[in-house]
Amino acid sequence: MSAQLPRFPRLALLATSALATPGLALAQAAPAPAAEGSEIIVTAQKRSESLQNVPISIQALGTKKLDELNVASFNDYAQQLPSVTFQALGGTPGTNVVYMRGVASGGDGNHSGSLPSVGVYLDEQPVTTIGGNLDVHIYDIARIESLSGPQGTLYGASSEAGTIRIITNKPDHKGLYGRFDGELNTVHNGTLGGKLEGMINAPLSDAVALRVVGFYQKDSGFIDNRQGCRAFLPETTPTACTATAGGIVANNSALVKKHYNDTETAGGRAALKIDLAEHWTVTPSIMYQDTRSHGSYGYDASVGDLAVQHFFPEYRADKFMQAALTVEGKLGNWDLTYAGAYLDRKDSQSSDYTDYAEAYDSLYSGVGGLAGYFYYKDAAGKTLDPRQQVLGTDHFKKSSQELRISSPSSAPLRLVAGLFYQYQSNDIHQDYRIANLDPALSVNGAPGTLWLTQQHRIDKDYAAFGELSYDLAPKLTVTAGGRYFKYDNSLIGFFGFGRNPGSGFTASPYNGAGSSKTGVVQCFTSDGHRLYDNLKAGTGSTTLLPGSVAGSPCTNLGVYSGGSIQPVKATGTGQTYRFNMTWKPQRNLMFYGTVSRGFRPGGINRRGDFGPYDPDYLTNFELGFKTTMMGGMLRLNGAIYQQNWDKFQFSYLGPNSFTVITNGPNARIRGFDMDATLNLGQLTVNFAGAYTDGKILKNLCHAIDPTFACTGAGNSIDAAAGTRLPVTPQWKMSGTARYTVPMDGFKVYGQLNGTYQSSAASDLRTAFNAVTGQIAAFGQINVATGADWDKYSIELFVQNLFDERGQLSRFVECGACTRTYIVPNTPRTIGVRIGGKF
């Protein structure tokens, strides 16, 4: 079914949303949770404050609400946060690129590309990584805070457009208690799935308490890998299963499988709270999570609903460990906080790249396709099956240190100030393999590898920050904040094709692709020059220097200096700011105005013909209000804003499907967001919505043109001035209505939740968007009913009641590919949950 905008207001009347209330724990551990409609405490401004007193557009999902909505992953809570959108890079868990308030140009997420524009925090520590978000399993979480707009003053570089904070429940001394929860479900077009989760809080002494969480989740697959064939020229039917003209034919029958995109997630978390002395606490914590996914999470509509035809094994293993330490204390009546963390994330994956062969066989049909244009041959000279399998790994390491001090919150003049340092590295490996490729035509030292990326990336951030607030009058407060930052980013390694070593690297063909200018030929030799330059000049060394990164044949991404190869660097300094004025004409009503600025560091392009790209900046102008009425029964918050995005970083697949990052034109984003909660005792109704209208102000050119006129040889307009920014829907809403009836010793309830998002472009470039297609509008209804006793609970639920085939993202596998994949929401899921507590 396809949801249209006129339908949703009716849905909203039935199921208004669930964003501002604290949550329901179906198996809530002692001590008892706060009552619905009670005050929500957040730490968005590095202090504990009521949500209604913070002059920032915040949406908060508390423990109770997260449990009510059965939130377990990023996709679950992102659907409930209207200001948050994401681009699913294949749809596999842990590969989403997160956006807020429309600050999206598309194409982000490459491991050599731009840093994210939205920061993600686990407690006090940043866990933002390039190439996809850290998909933390959600259980025993105190709240998720979504902070819209630039948060660069207190949160830094990757919070240009906003920040998402996942705050865990901490150990306490209130007694030995715990909870456990289990779920069994079945997915339409899939099989059984479920999860087991548990938590225990244990005081070990008067000064020490321990909290331990464990979880396991199995998500059923729902996409089928159907039987199919690919035939390459001189075969004339691209999907033929029998060769009739002497060409290559591939058949995927050995990999045919129903609902093959399943995922298993397992892990745990432990935290120890140690009271050292009065007002001094140390909290070390550790978390481990292992997520293993199989298959493709995007389907090919040309094959069928929830179906693909893929020809190589597909999987992704994503493991991370985070160790953190938080120290909190007082110096006099000032609060001092230290937060340090170390994150180690490893992922490995196998991807089917048959679409590349299919696309380029057609593109080069005039010269006989791949067989006539390239040199995909074995050592005996026999033409090979041109399909590629991509094997990749990433190893992220991230350490962060923050020290800050806060003055008393009750004083008329208040200060938060601190120092921040972050170091993150990524070892990148991407191996594009053609089975049995001639070693002389492969990447040197890696038989069967057509293309290799072997790189080491480092991103370092230094900052000093502060915010000063002053009460000009009892009802009027002004705030000024700033952040001075320095970034130091580097990239070194190898990328590209091999070079036939015969006859001193002059033998032909040069490699499987016949490329004469990319890969090993651009590596540095023992005399400090590139091999290409020495071969062209006919003089100089042809002895390659050893690879700077383990596993590489040599180094072509770097700078030769002082007898060694140094990384290519991008460095810079700058400032961001935030100015705010808050007026409280009465106790339960607040108005505020904010001007703030966020930034994202510049970086390095691997291609020598594209220089480094510059930082981009986002300036936000915002007016908002927060109010509580009807004796606390109604809470209503809203904000209207304009954001100016200067010279935004634009990532795209350039020539030969090679990721390129440039600075595009300026963009302007206008919109509003709001959320409301009505608590009538037995009935609680919530609604949240966002409107976003982002447009580029000048042309996006095919080639770099500072004037954005897009004139000159080889240039053209990829997106005309006024084109809407991609990925973000113009409208996004969520709503929940929950009715609870007290019974003799227990209570029963019914819940109706709905989400809706309008259509959006999948690509900023007009011609490419025509290929990948618009992300269609859709709405989803989720229902639940259950009973809650003092010690246990049970719930029956249906998610995606009408089995809407919602589109979360659309993508193609390469720049010339035309086979479009759609990442859908999960089909209708029916299940039962039980919980207990002690």
Side-chain angles (χ1 to χ4, degrees), residues 154 407 482 541 632:
L154 295 180
S407 65
S541 173

Side-chain angles (χ1 to χ4, degrees), residues 458-714:
I458 295 176
D459 296 274
K460 292 187 285 188
D461 298 279
Y462 311 80
F465 61 89
E467 278 199 354
L468 188 66
S469 298
Y470 180 63
D471 296 334
L472 292 176
K475 298 180 180 180
L476 185 64
T477 301
V478 293
T479 299
R483 188 182 189 98
Y484 174 81
F485 64 84
K486 176 183 177 181
Y487 65 88
D488 183 355
N489 304 335
S490 65
L491 191 62
I492 190 171
F494 173 84
F495 65 96
F497 302 108
R499 181 75 175 199
N500 192 329
S503 302
F505 293 106
T506 62
S508 181
Y510 299 128
N511 45 57
S515 173
S516 62
K517 297 182 179 180
T518 304
V520 168
V521 75
Q522 293 293 342
C523 282
F524 290 101
T525 63
S526 58
D527 62 9
H529 297 104
R530 294 185 186 270
L531 177 62
Y532 177 84
D533 296 328
N534 287 350
L535 292 176
K536 185 177 181 180
T539 60
S541 173
T542 57
T543 301
L544 299 173
L545 290 174
S548 300
V549 177
S552 59
C554 50
T555 302
N556 59 12
L557 179 59
V559 177
Y560 187 84
S561 176
S564 63
I565 304 173
Q566 302 299 318
V568 181
K569 288 196 171 187
T571 61
T573 61
Q575 306 83 33
T576 60
Y577 55 80
R578 176 176 177 263
F579 300 104
N580 173 269
M581 179 173 286
T582 302
W583 178 45
K584 296 182 178 179
Q586 57 190 52
R587 186 174 63 88
N588 292 325
L589 177 62
M590 179 180 74
F591 297 97
Y592 68 88
T594 298
V595 179
S596 56
R597 196 183 199 208
F599 81 102
R600 180 167 49 167
I604 302 147
N605 273 300
R606 294 177 292 172
R607 288 182 63 113
D609 49 347
F610 288 87
Y613 52 94
D614 296 327
D616 59 11
Y617 292 87
L618 185 73
T619 305
N620 176 57
F621 305 90
E622 181 174 334
L623 294 173
F625 71 92
K626 296 188 175 185
T627 183
T628 304
M629 298 177 284
M630 300 169 57
M633 290 192 297
L634 176 63
R635 181 166 56 234
L636 178 64
N637 301 334
I640 186 170
Y641 62 86
Q642 175 172 307
Q643 299 182 133
N644 298 331
W645 194 12
D646 297 335
K647 298 181 179 179
F648 63 79
Q649 294 171 13
F650 179 61
S651 301
Y652 62 97
L653 290 177
N656 299 315
S657 297
F658 199 91
T659 299
V660 174
I661 307 99
T662 61
N663 289 93
N666 296 343
R668 183 185 65 209
I669 305 164
R670 290 172 172 167
F672 66 84
D673 39 53
M674 61 87 67
D675 65 84
T677 299
L678 177 63
N679 182 4
L680 299 177
Q682 292 178 241
L683 175 66
T684 303
V685 180
N686 316 105
F687 174 80
Y691 170 81
T692 308
D693 185 20
K695 298 177 180 179
I696 60 174
L697 300 181
K698 293 184 178 180
N699 299 329
L700 177 70
C701 301
H702 186 70
I704 296 175
D705 180 354
T707 69
F708 301 103
C710 308
T711 56

Side-chain angles (χ1 to χ4, degrees), residues 377-399:
K377 301 179 184 298
D378 64 14
K382 180 182 177 182
T383 298
L384 296 172
D385 181 346
R387 295 174 301 120
Q388 297 176 41
Q389 179 184 14
V390 184
L391 300 175
T393 62
D394 286 279
H395 187 182
F396 298 93
K397 295 180 181 179
K398 185 186 191 90
S399 61

Side-chain angles (χ1 to χ4, degrees), residues 84-109:
V84 176
T85 55
F86 60 93
Q87 191 170 29
L89 302 177
T92 309
T95 62
N96 296 313
V97 178
V98 188
Y99 302 113
M100 293 184 75
R101 278 189 172 175
V103 182
S105 60
D108 301 299

